[in-house]
Amino acid sequence: LYITELNEDVRSVKGKAVKIWEGGFKNAHELGGGYGMEGAHMYKINGKYYITCPAGGTEGWQICLRSDKIYGPYEHKLIMYDDSSYPKNGLHQGGMVQLKNGDWWFMIMQDRGPIGRVPCLVPVTWVDGWPMLGDNGKDLITYPKPNVGKQSKIKSPDTSDEFNSLKLGLQWQWNHNPDDDNWSVTENPGYYRIRTGRLSANVYGAKNSLTQRAYGPHCVSETKINVAGLNPGDYAGLCAFQDSYGIIGVTCDKDGRKYIIQGEGKFDEQDDGFYNKVPVNENERVSEPLEADEVCVKIEYDFSYTATTIADKADFYYSTDNGITWIKLGKQLNVTNDYTTVFMGARSYLFMYST
C-alpha cells in the first residue's frame, strides 16, 4: 500500500508515493488461500489513522491497519473473518459510516455469483481501539436495524414498469450504449419499441436490449410482447442474462410463420474480443405457429441457498390468454457466473434482434 500527497487543488500530485505496507498479515496461513489486500479505505478517527482492506479474494477477510501517523508504522488486526454466511464467499469490499447517534456501521458487499454483489450492513463495535465487525469478527447473518431516526417505506421497483412516460425508470439499464434512432416509448405508448438497425447472432449483440436487475432469493420477470413487426430471422422476447443465458420469446421463420421458443446459450468471448457469434441453442418450440400478435412470457428465478447448496436456476413460461394460464417451456437454466465475462449480476432482458 502507498500514500501519495495531493496538492491543495486535489487535482494533481504533490509528492512521491510512499510505501506504508507490504505483504500480507499475521496468521494468514491459518485461514488458507490468497493473502492479497485491496480496496483500501482510510479514516482519521480520534487522532488515529485507520485503513480497512478486504483480503484473500472474496472469502470474507477484513484487515484493519492502525497508526498514530499517516506514514506509519502501522499495526494490523483481522477485524472480520466471515466464511459461513454464503457458501465459499464471505463479506468483502466496503467502508465504515457513523450515524448521527454515534453508532458505527460497515457498508459491505458479498459476491453471490450469478445474483451479483449484494450490499449488506454490519454493525461495528470498537474493542481496544479496533473496529470489530459483526460479533467480534464473525457474521451473524441478521442484526438489529440501524437507528437512523425514521422509517423509510420499501418500494420496488423504484418507479412504474409501464412504458407510459417519456423517461425510463431508474431501474432500467441498457446492455449497450443505446442507438437512439432505434428505440422509442412514444411511438406506441405503453410499449417499449425496438428496431434492430443491424444484424446480430444472439442476445449479446442485441442493441437497445433493456435490462433490469434480478434479485434473490426469488423473483419473477413477466412481460407482454407484440410480434406483429417481426421479419424472417428475427427474435424477440425476454432473456435471463448472465455468463449463461436463457430466452423465452418468438422467432419468425423464412415463410413468415412465428413460433414461441425457449433456448439458451453461453458467453464465449472470441479472439477479436467481441461477443460470440453462436446462435441461440433452441431447446423447445411450440409446434403450432402463433396466431395472435401478442403473447405473454415470464421467467421465474430461484437464487435461494443453504450452507451447502445454491440453486441459481431459471424457468421459462408463456401464456396465450393474457396471463391467465401459464405453460412451462424448454429446459431449466443453470444461471452460471464467470467474473471474467459478465459479473454485474443476473438481469432480465427485453430484447429484439435480427439474424
Side-chain angles (χ1 to χ4, degrees), residues 269-286:
E269 193 169 52
Q270 304 297 299
D271 291 338
D272 61 4
F274 201 42
Y275 65 90
N276 68 342
K277 312 299 193 299
V278 180
V280 62
N281 177 39
E282 189 174 315
N283 291 325
E284 186 178 357
R285 71 166 56 196
V286 177

Side-chain angles (χ1 to χ4, degrees), residues 141-199:
I141 313 301
T142 58
Y143 304 92
K145 293 181 179 180
N147 178 14
V148 295
K150 64 178 181 178
Q151 293 291 324
S152 298
K153 292 181 66 176
I154 296 175
K155 187 179 180 183
S156 180
D158 294 335
T159 60
S160 171
D161 275 340
E162 303 299 323
F163 297 111
N164 52 17
S165 172
L166 297 179
K167 292 185 177 181
L168 295 170
L170 293 177
Q171 71 272 27
W172 295 106
Q173 293 90 39
W174 281 287
N175 185 46
H176 301 70
N177 289 331
D179 177 0
D180 289 333
D181 292 333
N182 284 311
W183 72 271
S184 174
V185 291
T186 58
E187 291 178 5
N188 190 8
Y191 289 77
Y192 176 68
R193 172 164 287 175
I194 308 174
R195 292 186 177 88
T196 56
R198 69 173 189 177
L199 298 182

Side-chain angles (χ1 to χ4, degrees), residues 18-31:
V18 177
K19 184 186 294 185
I20 63 165
W21 187 260
E22 184 174 18
F25 52 94
K26 64 183 179 182
N27 300 328
H29 62 281
E30 298 175 5
L31 303 177

Side-chain angles (χ1 to χ4, degrees), residues 19-51:
K19 184 186 294 185
I20 63 165
W21 187 260
E22 184 174 18
F25 52 94
K26 64 183 179 182
N27 300 328
H29 62 281
E30 298 175 5
L31 303 177
Y35 317 126
M37 295 160 64
E38 62 179 1
H41 288 231
M42 175 173 264
Y43 312 85
K44 188 177 184 182
I45 304 170
N46 296 330
K48 288 184 178 292
Y49 293 94
Y50 292 86
I51 304 174

